[in-house]
Amino acid sequence: MIPSDPGNGGGSSRPGPPPPQTQSQSQGPGTAPAQAAGPAPQADPLAALLADYAPLKGVPDELLDGNGVVRPVWKGFLDQIAAMPREELDLACARGSQYLRDAGVFFRHYGPDSQEEREWPLAHLPLLIEQSEWDGIAAGLIERADLLERIMADLYGPNQLVSDGLLPADLLTSNPEWLRPMVGVAPRSGHHLHMLAFDIGRGPEGHWWVLGDRAQAPSGAGFALETRMAAARSFPGQVTQANVARLAGFFRGFRDALLALRAEEDSRVAILTPGPLNDTYFEHAYIARYLGFLLVQGEDLVVRDGRLMVHTVGGLKPISVLWRRLDSAWLDPLELNEDSQIGTPGILSALRSGQLTMVNAPGSGVLETRALMAFIPAIARRLLGRELKLPNIATWWCGSASARDYVKANASRMTIDRALSTSLPFDHSPEVVIGGKRADGQPFDPAMIEQEAGALAAQQIVSLSTAPALDDGRLVARPFSMRVILARTSQGWQVMPGGFARVGHSDASADISVQRGGSVCDIWVVGSQPTPDDTLLAGATGARPSLPQLAALPTRAADNLFWLGRYSERVEQKIRLQRAYHLRLAETGRDDLPLVQYLGQYLAGQGVDATQPFPPGLMADLDAAMGSAGRIRDRFSTDGWNALTDLRRTATKLAPRLKPGDDAARALSVLLRKISGFSGLVHENMYHATGWRFLSLGRAIERAWSTASMLVGFTQPDTPHGTYEIAIEAGDAVMTHRMRFSAAFTRETVLDLLLLDENYPRSVLAQLDDILGHLDWLEKLTHDLSGKPTPIRAEVMKLRTELATTPAEQITLARLVEISNATAAFSGLLADTYLR
């Protein structure tokens, strides 16, 4: 159980034992003991309320007050749920889950042998907290945030806490999170910390405790917002009727605070992510898109003359505020971890120059160290002159002889883990000791406490209060903890009015971790007055100046958009040719005919086994398109992503069940409609700025090359009868050919339409015009006014002029090969001009 006094546990004085367990403490927060005088608790207080819904399986602590009756804050919500038929409630829960799937919300799960993307695990019932109680929590966390800021300033400044004996020097000198290169570096903003997250839990006696401080690169803000959106889909009326506090104002305040920290008006705010393989990458991309900030990786950045710059298609652009989402040690391979492949050399020098503000300052991970919690109470008494309003759980650092003696005597009531670990009490490693036993089942040797001493820290075993959850149609009690997020704004620390709670999948507190199968629910802070509508744009006075965004596309993002355009066009072209193969197979029933064999051989040269309805080569291109899209989730619409994943899901589902011929042709027609819908959705709905240009350039270059290559293969003199028709069919030009030419398919009509007709949108000449139009726009954007054409423009103009002045009859096979090679070279020329 969580003790009532966490003590300091640091060795400056011997920590006292926790108070003896009482019956009331074992029954949940505020629950009266069975023998207490006064009104008797109601028998099964929720049974009558929810009788039409589901039988009770335990009563969650959070629902009841000290008299054993339902808390007023829950009454209205539970009344509405109780009135819902089981089918209606199931449908409401399904709506929330479907929203998260449609939005593509995921976290990356790390297993012993693999890592995979998993859906955000929604626990559909929200956790309701009265505004008055939340105000107390917020006040306690703001006090703690201010204390952590003062500790951070001391650890990288005068180090008075160590000098005064309030903190052992060993906890710094041996701590990899304490970064010597940051000592003496004063933050440009005047603060080391700008965003914090706290994991808190309610103990059995009803008090809240801090379970963990998150200062390194705290996550959760984006997930909290999406969890709120899912809860609103499940219970749309209840959110308004319950007077639930809105979240938009929190994000608006933090966004405006970061914009105000910029060194110059033309500099940018960026979010630094480790990349798509990070477990919270979805949130990085989501927040960047939501707030309008650049999402960058270490390779996008460079330091020039003490300034942090981002490589964009418009050249180097300054970044003066960097919200980092990777751990400090990986930031700068020059001064920190030399093996880092995801950092930026020299980034610490930009901090020292005073031209960069980083959220949070490097080295803030030291505040998350488990052993530091043992000293927080004493530090608070020294710096604040009082006990903290919201203390952390009792912690003992085993570097003190008195603490070691106490831990050995009370190991059955403690967890013993690495002193410098930053994991939460329920995120245990296999070797941690829990209640006198190792988590991996191996025997615990008490001698290890003396042997490892300062390398260990002990914490009182956490017994968490329980919240209501649904389990197969039954209301059950599950342990929970809350993640609460704070942001520094112009008015000081602002607490997100809500957040999310992690809910266990069993009765054990250790099972609330999302990585261990726990789920997440929304937190509703319920007020007594209606809550006004709020959006990210509310509260703006006058016109907000637009940020210089057009040329601010990082080259990495431009490259991925370019290849997304290429791969999606490549998939479409292969689907058209694959369908043509199976249509011929369906018409003849024979795969030994010259035309069928020739088409199969051509597809084999493209890496596609035509005999399979959905060959690996085609699926590989589709996966490559998804990979490119996944790396630019901040610039990719939810609808576009859903369309692409739906295409991949459909192909995977249909592939095992199809037979060659008509069956495969019909299925490929379905995929063709889906890929065409995806292309139309992205190209027509995407803002026509720099990103759209590179996406369109990829599409145009791929279409020009694939069409020219197809013409090389399908217009040779010795090709089987019918190949001209396949070329027109693959070019989606059957109707146009009939309208333009009364004659049958000939080599000249095929070349005239698919190569030389500037009015036909899939012809090579039309693609060259598209490419030139996008290059015009990019050259104006990058202020290239020299008048000298770039290498790619010169080559495109040269080819365009030749095609526009050459009749189809003069296009030889050798010339077609040259045209195909020229279009293939455009990709490298574009990269040399804009993507290096």
Side-chain angles (χ1 to χ4, degrees):
M1 296 297 177
I2 302 175
S4 59
D5 179 8
N8 63 24
S12 57
S13 64
R14 182 185 179 92
Q21 178 66 44
T22 66
Q23 185 173 355
S24 62
Q25 285 178 314
S26 65
Q27 293 180 350
T31 305
Q35 70 273 25
Q42 296 179 2
D44 256 350
L46 297 182
L49 183 62
L50 301 179
D52 295 334
Y53 160 55
L56 285 172
K57 185 182 178 182
V59 180
D61 300 330
E62 290 300 305
L63 297 185
L64 306 182
D65 63 14
N67 295 318
V69 299
V70 178
R71 295 176 187 269
V73 70
W74 282 97
K75 188 66 168 59
F77 179 72
L78 292 177
D79 281 343
Q80 295 189 48
I81 290 182
M84 298 171 68
R86 170 68 185 276
E87 295 77 10
E88 185 180 343
L89 183 59
D90 289 345
L91 181 60
C93 294
R95 285 197 302 267
S97 297
Q98 186 63 50
Y99 168 81
L100 294 175
R101 283 192 292 271
D102 291 343
V105 185
F106 72 91
F107 75 102
R108 190 168 295 278
H109 177 266
Y110 296 98
D113 303 311
S114 65
Q115 51 179 293
E116 58 182 344
E117 291 183 4
R118 290 189 178 180
E119 294 178 3
W120 189 237
L122 182 64
H124 299 89
L125 294 185
L127 179 68
L128 277 61
I129 298 179
E130 290 183 275
Q131 181 70 58
S132 58
E133 182 175 16
W134 186 262
D135 290 343
I137 293 172
L141 293 180
I142 289 174
E143 178 189 59
R144 190 176 185 89
D146 286 333
L147 178 65
L148 293 182
E149 173 68 40
R150 294 181 65 175
I151 293 174
M152 182 77 176
D154 180 78
L155 296 182
Y156 291 98
N159 229 324
Q160 198 66 37
L161 295 176
V162 173
S163 300
D164 293 349
L166 292 171
L167 199 61
D170 289 352
L171 282 186
L172 295 185
T173 57
S174 61
N175 194 334
E177 299 294 346
W178 185 64
L179 306 182
R180 291 179 184 273
M182 291 303 299
V183 174
V185 178
R188 177 181 174 276
S189 67
H191 298 100
H192 294 81
L193 306 176
H194 296 268
M195 174 167 275
L196 293 169
F198 297 98
D199 290 292
I200 66 175
R202 195 198 291 270
E205 73 292 337
H207 299 299
W208 292 99
W209 304 83
V210 173
L211 306 174
D213 303 305
R214 290 289 172 256
Q216 171 79 270
S219 64
F223 287 123
L225 190 56
E226 283 291 59
T227 303
R228 168 62 56 83
M229 296 295 292
R233 293 296 180 91
S234 293
F235 310 107
Q238 288 90 326
V239 172
T240 302
Q241 295 172 20
N243 302 329
V244 178
R246 302 294 196 266
L247 303 182
F250 171 85
F251 289 96
R252 184 175 62 248
F254 189 50
R255 179 202 60 189
D256 293 348
L258 294 188
L259 290 173
L261 289 175
R262 290 179 297 161
E264 313 92 2
E265 279 295 319
D266 67 337
S267 65
R268 289 153 178 80
V269 179
I271 299 176
L272 177 61
T273 175
L277 294 181
N278 185 263
D279 58 342
T280 58
Y281 174 73
F282 167 83
E283 181 180 66
H284 307 167
Y286 177 83
I287 289 292
R289 184 170 61 235
Y290 184 64
L291 298 181
F293 295 156
L294 284 179
L295 184 67
V296 298
Q297 296 183 29
E299 64 187 86
D300 299 328
L301 306 175
V302 66
V303 177
R304 292 285 186 269
D305 299 324
R307 301 182 73 192
L308 185 65
M309 314 290 284
V310 57
H311 289 285
T312 76
V313 296
L316 293 177
K317 304 294 181 182
I319 289 177
S320 58
V321 179
L322 188 66
W323 182 359
R324 67 176 178 90
R325 298 303 301 269
L326 79 159
D327 291 349
S328 303
W330 304 98
L331 279 171
D332 191 339
L334 289 182
E335 298 193 57
L336 301 173
N337 189 334
E338 63 183 13
D339 296 325
S340 174
Q341 301 290 317
I342 56 176
T344 302
I347 198 169
L348 293 192
S349 67
L351 285 170
R352 292 193 191 93
S353 72
Q355 300 186 76
L356 175 66
T357 296
M358 191 172 290
V359 179
N360 286 327
S364 53
V366 69
L367 300 175
E368 299 183 3
T369 306
R370 173 175 283 105
L372 182 64
M373 280 191 165
F375 305 92
I376 290 288
I379 293 173
R381 287 191 288 268
R382 172 65 65 87
L383 297 183
L384 305 179
R386 61 180 182 273
E387 301 288 345
L388 286 170
K389 299 173 184 175
L390 203 63
N392 52 253
I393 58 174
T395 305
W396 292 265
W397 176 57
C398 294
S400 157
S402 59
R404 289 196 298 274
D405 291 341
Y406 183 77
V407 170
K408 285 187 290 185
N410 295 274
S412 62
R413 295 187 292 167
M414 297 182 175
T415 62
I416 305 173
D417 205 344
R418 299 290 99 187
L420 302 182
S421 171
T422 59
S423 64
L424 293 174
F426 36 80
D427 292 335
H428 300 311
S429 55
E431 64 273 9
V432 68
V433 176
I434 307 173
K437 299 178 181 179
R438 280 175 54 113
D440 58 8
Q442 298 296 317
F444 163 57
D445 182 5
M448 70 172 283
I449 297 176
E450 289 292 342
Q451 294 167 357
E452 301 193 42
L456 298 176
Q459 291 181 309
Q460 202 75 20
I461 289 179
V462 177
S463 179
L464 296 174
S465 177
T466 57
L470 293 175
D471 182 10
D472 193 25
R474 298 172 65 87
L475 187 73
V476 296
R478 291 288 183 257
F480 76 95
S481 71
M482 297 197 310
R483 173 154 292 194
V484 186
I485 300 164
L486 280 69
R488 190 184 294 280
T489 69
S490 58
Q491 278 73 47
W493 287 109
Q494 183 175 349
V495 180
M496 180 186 290
F500 62 81
R502 294 194 280 188
V503 182
H505 66 86
S506 73
D507 296 334
S509 296
D511 289 337
I512 71 172
S513 169
V514 172
Q515 290 284 345
R516 294 172 180 264
S519 54
V520 175
C521 76
D522 190 19
I523 298 174
W524 291 4
V525 178
V526 178
S528 58
Q529 300 296 324
T531 304
D533 290 337
D534 196 5
T535 69
L536 194 65
L537 299 178
T541 56
R544 182 180 297 278
S546 60
L547 297 176
Q549 294 292 335
L550 291 181
L553 180 69
T555 53
R556 175 190 50 81
D559 188 50
N560 278 292
L561 284 163
F562 172 76
W563 279 102
L564 174 60
R566 290 205 65 174
Y567 280 123
S568 59
E569 178 64 28
R570 189 173 300 178
V571 168
E572 180 177 342
Q573 180 73 359
K574 288 183 177 180
I575 289 176
R576 291 181 182 277
L577 290 170
Q578 182 80 345
R579 184 179 65 167
Y581 174 90
H582 285 281
L583 283 173
R584 271 64 184 176
L585 199 61
E587 293 169 357
T588 64
R590 296 174 56 184
D591 60 5
D592 59 346
L593 295 178
L595 179 61
V596 176
Q597 288 188 334
Y598 186 85
L599 182 53
Q601 291 169 2
Y602 179 83
L603 284 167
Q606 305 295 314
V608 175
D609 181 358
T611 63
Q612 299 184 44
F614 297 105
L618 180 58
M619 300 297 277
D621 287 333
L622 183 52
D623 287 340
M626 292 195 66
S628 295
R631 297 183 188 98
I632 48 169
R633 290 291 294 273
D634 60 311
R635 298 181 177 272
F636 205 57
S637 73
T638 299
D639 287 337
W641 178 256
N642 287 340
L644 194 58
T645 55
D646 179 57
L647 174 66
R648 181 65 170 85
R649 186 167 51 247
T650 302
T652 304
K653 183 178 179 180
L654 291 176
R657 305 203 303 260
L658 295 179
K659 296 180 180 179
D662 182 68
D663 202 24
R666 291 167 60 192
L668 287 162
S669 294
V670 172
L671 288 191
L672 184 59
R673 289 193 292 271
K674 287 181 178 288
I675 188 68
S676 298
F678 163 75
S679 297
L681 180 70
V682 171
H683 286 276
E684 296 303 321
N685 294 351
M686 191 174 178
Y687 185 59
H688 287 197
T690 318
W692 180 83
R693 301 287 172 176
F694 278 92
L695 186 70
S696 300
L697 279 167
R699 183 186 187 188
I701 289 175
E702 180 68 28
R703 182 173 289 181
W705 172 76
S706 63
T707 301
S709 298
M710 181 183 66
L711 292 175
V712 170
F714 286 9
T715 63
Q716 298 183 28
D718 57 348
T719 55
H721 176 71
T723 51
Y724 297 159
E725 182 179 357
I726 290 177
I728 292 295
E729 184 180 317
D732 197 23
V734 174
M735 293 294 295
T736 304
H737 187 277
R738 290 174 182 170
M739 293 172 60
R740 282 205 56 201
F741 306 103
S742 58
F745 299 105
T746 67
R747 184 177 186 275
E748 286 71 26
T749 62
V750 171
L751 292 179
D752 197 0
L753 186 56
L754 297 185
L755 183 67
L756 305 176
D757 193 335
E758 63 182 351
N759 295 315
Y760 185 62
R762 298 186 70 88
S763 74
V764 174
L765 188 57
Q767 304 316 305
L768 299 181
D769 287 339
D770 281 351
I771 293 170
L772 288 173
H774 295 310
L775 293 178
D776 285 343
W777 194 91
L778 289 175
E779 288 167 10
K780 292 177 182 177
L781 182 69
T782 56
H783 307 293
D784 185 358
L785 305 177
S786 64
K788 181 179 180 181
T790 59
I792 183 172
R793 168 177 282 280
E795 290 301 314
V796 175
M797 291 178 63
K798 176 182 176 182
L799 181 58
R800 199 240 180 253
T801 302
E802 291 179 1
L803 294 185
T805 58
T806 305
E809 294 79 6
Q810 297 181 17
I811 304 292
T812 64
L813 178 61
R815 183 61 189 134
L816 275 178
V817 172
E818 292 173 353
I819 293 170
S820 176
N821 291 338
T823 55
F826 291 164
S827 182
L829 292 172
L830 182 74
D832 290 340
T833 305
Y834 294 106
L835 302 178
R836 300 301 185 196

